[in-house]
Amino acid sequence: MAIQSESGLEPYVLFEERTRIAEELHDRICPHLFGIACAVHSVEQEWGSLSEEQKLEQLREIQAAASTASREMRATIYDLSSAEEEGASWLDGIRSLLHSLGKLNGVRIGFCAPDSVCRLSVHQRKALYRIISEAAGNAIRHGECSEVNVKLSMLRSSVTLRVSDNGRGFDACARLAKEKEYGFGLRNMRQQATSLGGSMQICSQPGSGARIVVRLPI
């Protein structure tokens, strides 16, 4: 019976591992590719008004972002570090993502986090990474902001993420009612938080920027 049970688990274990790898690639690589796509579109729109030096600078930025995406791909595949090192690697991944998004889109992005996040589970890290990626991307893409601030803070029993921007803001209730028009969207970010027993608050009005606050229990 034991042998049959182990054999029966093999397809499930393989499925779980494949899903985990797919999620890691999606979370760590796709945001960089999104930033590159946005930058290429921006350069295409402004090409006629750019000097040769500006064109060259933009192309160098895109090349650097592509190199970063390549490094993230290698790190995702070959990362065999310990739990503490994984925490540092996770923070470095967020810094790399935000730096790339900011540089490619001409947006100032600040990031503040505690030195150690080893108490966060893998699922919490994945959820927070996805929320940060989506929130920053939305602020740039839809909010047309010039500045984004991302802050992680940890207490004894909880972790709090705050993402704020100085963009044009939006009607949060109306946006939630039309989440299909915005891809991953605010509703799915909220689901990421509530699935881990947490909560998400959205504070925004047209013309006043936006602030998203996520709290997860530890």
Side-chain angles (χ1 to χ4, degrees):
M1 289 297 292
I3 294 177
Q4 292 177 351
S5 176
E6 290 175 1
S7 176
L9 281 174
E10 286 180 2
Y12 176 76
V13 172
L14 288 174
F15 173 77
E16 285 289 295
E17 182 63 11
R18 289 173 64 182
T19 301
R20 183 187 69 81
I21 293 172
E23 288 179 348
E24 287 294 322
L25 292 175
H26 175 273
D27 292 346
R28 297 183 65 172
I29 308 303
C30 286
H32 290 287
L33 297 180
F34 163 77
I36 293 171
C38 287
V40 170
H41 176 72
S42 177
V43 170
E44 181 183 14
Q45 296 297 312
E46 301 174 1
W47 189 260
S49 62
L50 296 176
S51 67
E52 291 301 316
E53 183 178 350
Q54 289 174 321
K55 291 176 182 178
L56 184 59
E57 179 63 23
Q58 288 293 323
L59 291 175
R60 285 171 177 164
E61 295 291 352
I62 293 171
Q63 182 183 38
S67 297
T68 299
S70 177
R71 288 195 299 271
E72 286 290 338
M73 173 74 79
R74 290 194 296 270
T76 301
I77 295 174
Y78 297 111
D79 189 2
L80 298 175
S81 50
S82 67
E84 181 65 26
E85 289 171 336
E86 285 175 2
S89 176
W90 179 72
L91 287 176
D92 287 341
I94 293 176
R95 291 189 183 97
S96 175
L97 165 68
L98 297 178
H99 176 75
S100 179
L101 283 176
K103 207 164 188 183
L104 285 169
N105 294 281
V107 175
R108 296 187 302 275
I109 302 182
F111 179 54
C112 179
D115 294 333
S116 175
V117 292
C118 60
R119 289 192 293 141
L120 295 179
S121 70
V122 172
H123 296 297
Q124 288 171 328
R125 292 175 190 174
K126 285 182 178 180
L128 290 171
Y129 188 100
R130 288 176 175 176
I131 293 171
I132 290 171
S133 172
E134 182 66 20
N138 282 346
I140 295 170
R141 183 170 61 250
H142 300 303
E144 299 179 356
C145 65
S146 61
E147 184 173 349
V148 180
N149 286 293
V150 180
K151 182 178 181 180
L152 270 175
S153 56
M154 295 184 66
L155 298 176
R156 189 171 185 178
S157 60
S158 67
V159 57
T160 300
L161 166 67
R162 293 179 175 85
V163 182
S164 59
D165 67 74
N166 66 346
R168 61 183 183 180
F170 57 89
D171 185 325
C173 293
R175 182 71 61 85
L176 286 170
K178 299 179 180 179
E179 76 274 14
K180 290 183 180 179
E181 298 178 11
Y182 298 94
F184 186 81
L186 297 174
R187 190 178 297 276
N188 282 351
M189 284 195 287
R190 189 192 298 277
Q191 289 175 350
Q192 288 280 332
T194 56
S195 69
L196 295 173
S199 64
M200 185 176 86
Q201 296 176 324
I202 305 167
C203 300
S204 183
Q205 291 293 332
S208 63
R211 184 173 75 256
I212 293 174
V213 181
V214 174
R215 291 184 176 86
L216 300 179
I218 298 178

